[in-house]
Amino acid sequence: MSFDVLLHLQFCHKPDGLFQISDALIKRVQVSQEQWVKGALEPKVSAEFDLTLDSEPLLQAIHQLDFIQMKCRAQTEGLGQSCTNLYSVPVTVPPVPLLQLEKCCTRNNSVTLAWRMPPLSHNPVEGYILELDDGDGGQFREVYVGKETLCTIDGLHFNSTYNARVKAFNSSGVGPYSKTVILQTSDVAWFTFDPSSAHRDIVLSNDNQTATCSSYDDRVVLGTAAFSKGVHYWELHVDRYDNHPDPAFGIARINVVKDMMLGKDDKAWAMYVDNNRSWFMHCNSHTNRTEGGVCKGATVGVLLDLNKHNLTFYINGQQQGPPAFENVEGVFMPALSLNRNVQVTLHTGLEVPQCVKQPKLPSN
């Protein structure tokens, strides 16, 4: 029963008793009010309750977040809008690289290209793609993909014109191509004997242009150039010739057998010669014996014509027999086999002989 109702009953039935109980009622109401306020405001928890916030799981979750960059909308939708990452920082594809023409050059059948990004370019670059055509006006092909800004490409055709271009890329896409640079490989080849591929008994000197051998058996050494196109001529000067050895001169594949005379396997095409006569040899087949040999001071010339696909030899400027081999195709390296009784010096960078004397006819 509420206090108002109780007071009303007391007043109506016993008016004189109201003053007797009013003090008690007022005190009771005050106590009840204090108890209600105290119960409503005081926390119903233990005084030892720990309200410390544990943030460690949150920090671990933040450290494990992966931040990625959005793809360029202009690339995917063609809308011409700039790219944004998850935090709306503008990112676009890289600008056009600048080819540094003063650093682009050719040497023999190798080309070197250098490039850089334009000044004040702030777009990130993750790498570059260098493309080269086939030297004959054909399709471009990728020859290098990476972060470097300098690249050398070996094994190209001699006397050929190559077109090169480069572009940059990042996570947003690939940028535009640079201007095309035109490079001309050398007309003639400059090369030496190759110590890295020579038989271990071969001894090289004179900046790897002079060869001899520590064994009485024939050993093979190759040149550092590789030919697959064009016309090439080089000479070998006989510096020493003792006890009538049979040095062999010619061309070979990179995997030719190197512990026997050049021409005995199917990877070499050669002319071997003594002090009186010469023979052509391939797959250990001896053909076209021709009179006329070599001695100390003699010069042997090798003419490889990959336009006509034939190989011709000269001794002291005169053609030795008919063209030695025809229908030669593929990649060839200059080659020589010799033993310890002969020493030979290589001469390269020579123009193809313009006048060819009448060849000697084979006598057998």
Side-chain angles (χ1 to χ4, degrees), residues 107-109 158-160 184-191 225 227 231-233 348-352:
R107 183 181 183 277
N108 273 343
N109 59 337
F158 283 89
N159 194 24
S160 299
Q184 174 75 37
T185 54
S186 300
D187 293 340
V188 296
W190 298 84
F191 59 91
F227 303 116
V231 183
H232 310 281
Y233 178 77
T348 65
L350 304 177
E351 296 289 341
V352 176

Side-chain angles (χ1 to χ4, degrees), residues 40-61:
L41 297 180
E42 290 184 359
K44 297 181 176 59
V45 295
S46 170
E48 290 79 17
F49 181 76
D50 187 6
L51 199 60
T52 302
L53 179 63
D54 184 8
S55 61
E56 185 63 26
L58 177 62
L59 293 175
Q60 291 181 358

Side-chain angles (χ1 to χ4, degrees), residues 16-94:
D16 57 339
L18 176 63
F19 299 100
Q20 298 176 4
I21 62 174
S22 61
D23 291 340
L25 287 174
I26 292 172
K27 186 175 182 180
R28 183 177 176 182
V29 169
Q30 291 175 343
V31 171
S32 298
Q33 183 177 1
E34 291 175 358
Q35 290 178 348
W36 181 84
V37 172
K38 182 178 181 181
L41 297 180
E42 290 184 359
K44 297 181 176 59
V45 295
S46 170
E48 290 79 17
F49 181 76
D50 187 6
L51 199 60
T52 302
L53 179 63
D54 184 8
S55 61
E56 185 63 26
L58 177 62
L59 293 175
Q60 291 181 358
I62 292 175
H63 289 311
Q64 292 174 357
L65 288 176
D66 290 327
F67 296 92
I68 62 173
Q69 198 172 62
M70 300 291 288
K71 285 291 184 182
C72 180
R73 183 175 296 180
Q75 233 185 347
T76 57
E77 301 180 9
L79 299 179
Q81 299 180 7
S82 63
C83 302
T84 59
N85 60 17
L86 293 180
Y87 297 99
S88 299
V89 178
V91 175
T92 59
V93 296

Side-chain angles (χ1 to χ4, degrees), residues 54 157 231 234 236 266 283:
D54 184 8
H157 298 305
V231 183
W234 61 97
L236 301 110
D266 62 347
C283 289

Side-chain angles (χ1 to χ4, degrees), residues 266-287:
D266 62 347
K267 302 296 192 300
W269 294 255
M271 175 187 75
Y272 74 95
V273 57
D274 59 19
N275 61 325
N276 291 315
R277 62 189 68 84
S278 66
W279 293 261
F280 303 144
M281 186 165 61
H282 173 63
C283 289
N284 204 28
S285 174
H286 308 249
T287 61

Side-chain angles (χ1 to χ4, degrees), residues 242-356:
D242 302 326
N243 300 323
H244 311 297
D246 299 323
F249 310 85
I251 58 175
R253 310 289 192 194
I254 185 64
N255 57 342
V256 64
V257 177
K258 298 185 176 70
D259 59 357
M260 60 186 182
M261 181 182 286
L262 192 70
K264 285 195 171 183
D265 67 354
D266 62 347
K267 302 296 192 300
W269 294 255
M271 175 187 75
Y272 74 95
V273 57
D274 59 19
N275 61 325
N276 291 315
R277 62 189 68 84
S278 66
W279 293 261
F280 303 144
M281 186 165 61
H282 173 63
C283 289
N284 204 28
S285 174
H286 308 249
T287 61
N288 296 96
R289 189 183 78 175
T290 303
E291 296 299 321
V294 295
C295 61
K296 180 180 178 180
T299 297
V300 176
V302 182
L303 177 62
L304 175 63
D305 188 340
L306 290 173
N307 295 336
K308 297 180 179 179
H309 304 286
N310 59 38
L311 178 66
T312 306
F313 295 98
Y314 299 84
I315 295 180
N316 296 326
Q318 184 171 349
Q319 184 172 329
Q320 184 74 359
F325 301 99
E326 297 180 340
N327 302 316
V328 291
E329 295 186 9
V331 179
F332 303 96
M333 309 183 77
L336 165 72
S337 70
L338 71 168
N339 63 23
R340 67 183 304 166
N341 291 318
V342 63
Q343 176 178 299
V344 171
T345 294
L346 176 66
H347 296 279
T348 65
L350 304 177
E351 296 289 341
V352 176
Q354 298 299 315
C355 298
V356 178

